[in-house]
Amino acid sequence: MRALDHPAVAAVKEDGHIERHLEAVAQMGERVAGTRSAAIRDGVGALPIFGPILPRAAMISPSGGGAVALDLLAADFRVLQADPAVRKILLAVDSPGGVTTDISQFARLVAQSTKPVVAHVSGMGCSAAYWIISQVSEISIDATAMVGSIGVMMGGSVQENPDQAGRRDVAIVSKSAPNKRPDLTTEDGRAVIQAMIDSIEDVFIGAVARGRGVTEAVVRSDFGQGGTLAGASAVKARMADRVEADGLDGAIRRLATRNPSTRRTSAENTLKLAHARAGL
């Protein structure tokens, strides 16, 4: 529960992504046999990533809450890879992000796909969701869609007053584990958390840089610095590749009629990195 900032998770339920999900499903085609949410249309296998991202289905409440589980997502992705009727894979994304657990592994699965993988962002492709889509060969976005929020956040609570029963919780940790429950009211306690989330951010930025074919310095300076960019601004910053005038439907139609590369080749990435270092 500490990992899932409950007020934030509750808030994203009100942002309209569930309604946008229903509209998107209607555009993606017929459900692919053996999957929970993937669909196929004109040889394009579409996999929706809608709502907060959690590692496992067991963490999602029985009512669903509009969340997506990475274990189920990975299973559907592998079905699309194995289905001979699926020529290309499209990640249809509208997600504010989620927890860090298993994000790196799923992003690696996308990066290593033997079939071409692209992404289209209709609402938000932020934080953990951007980590995933940074690994595809092309990102298209709606004119008002937002991408970014590259960074890691962890929150905690500090007891200021006794609770209503007149009691105050006190945590005592064993002598060799002073960092097990750091005191967030002190600089030393905050430094423990800061060091941990900074190390995770380094992994995040490294993955985005490799996926987008730029240097880590470019990601740190030009990719929003934890904020988001929308539409044409995101494309200009190289966080996305194109604004899709016809939305998800247009992305599927365009993908069905052309032959994108399966992945940026290592040579292409090396050339992009060289150009970035040279300021080209």
Side-chain angles (χ1 to χ4, degrees):
M1 289 303 296
R2 288 199 303 271
L4 302 176
D5 185 7
H6 180 70
V9 174
V12 298
K13 295 180 182 179
E14 308 301 325
D15 74 351
H17 74 267
I18 295 177
E19 291 75 14
R20 293 195 297 272
H21 187 183
L22 296 175
E23 180 182 351
V25 168
Q27 298 175 2
M28 292 190 303
E30 299 180 0
R31 189 172 68 85
V32 176
T35 70
R36 293 178 63 93
S37 61
I40 184 170
R41 173 180 154 194
D42 298 329
V44 177
L47 185 62
I49 303 177
F50 283 81
I53 299 172
L54 304 178
R56 290 170 290 280
M59 299 178 72
I60 298 177
S61 67
S63 61
V68 58
L70 285 176
D71 56 349
L72 301 181
L73 203 64
D76 283 0
F77 189 84
R78 291 188 175 95
V79 172
L80 293 179
Q81 285 185 307
D83 191 334
V86 175
R87 295 180 290 110
K88 306 158 191 176
I89 299 173
L90 172 71
L91 305 182
V93 180
D94 187 3
S95 170
V99 300
T100 57
T101 306
D102 292 343
I103 286 291
S104 180
Q105 290 88 331
F106 183 75
R108 190 178 304 116
L109 178 66
V110 171
Q112 296 173 348
S113 173
T114 55
K115 291 182 178 179
V117 185
V118 303
H120 177 76
V121 181
S122 58
M124 292 183 289
C126 298
S127 197
Y130 190 75
W131 188 331
I132 293 170
I133 66 175
S134 70
Q135 304 306 299
V136 307
S137 61
E138 181 181 271
I139 301 172
S140 65
I141 59 177
D142 285 356
T144 57
M146 297 178 291
V147 294
S149 191
I150 299 170
V152 183
M153 181 187 73
M154 177 176 286
S157 62
V158 176
Q159 182 122 18
E160 299 287 353
N161 297 297
D163 61 23
Q164 292 180 351
R167 294 178 179 273
R168 186 190 303 275
D169 291 334
V170 177
I172 301 175
V173 299
S174 56
K175 62 182 179 180
S176 298
N179 295 331
K180 186 176 181 67
R181 191 66 61 87
D183 183 353
L184 300 183
T185 65
T186 67
E187 289 188 9
D188 288 344
R190 289 192 295 272
V192 171
I193 301 300
Q194 187 70 57
M196 178 176 63
I197 62 177
D198 285 350
S199 67
I200 299 173
E201 181 190 71
D202 290 341
V203 179
F204 190 170
I205 288 176
V208 170
R210 289 190 298 274
R212 295 300 298 163
V214 299
T215 65
E216 292 186 17
V218 167
V219 175
R220 293 180 188 278
S221 63
D222 298 347
F223 278 36
Q225 296 186 333
T228 60
L229 294 177
S233 296
V235 173
K236 183 178 181 181
R238 291 182 285 177
M239 296 174 71
D241 298 294
R242 62 183 294 138
V243 173
E244 192 68 65
D246 295 325
L248 177 60
D249 182 66
I252 294 175
R253 286 189 281 106
R254 181 170 51 82
L255 188 59
T257 57
R258 71 182 182 89
N259 296 308
S261 60
T262 53
R263 287 291 305 154
R264 294 186 184 94
T265 66
S266 58
E268 288 173 330
N269 275 336
T270 300
L271 181 60
K272 286 178 179 287
L273 289 169
H275 284 176
R277 293 191 182 104
L280 300 177

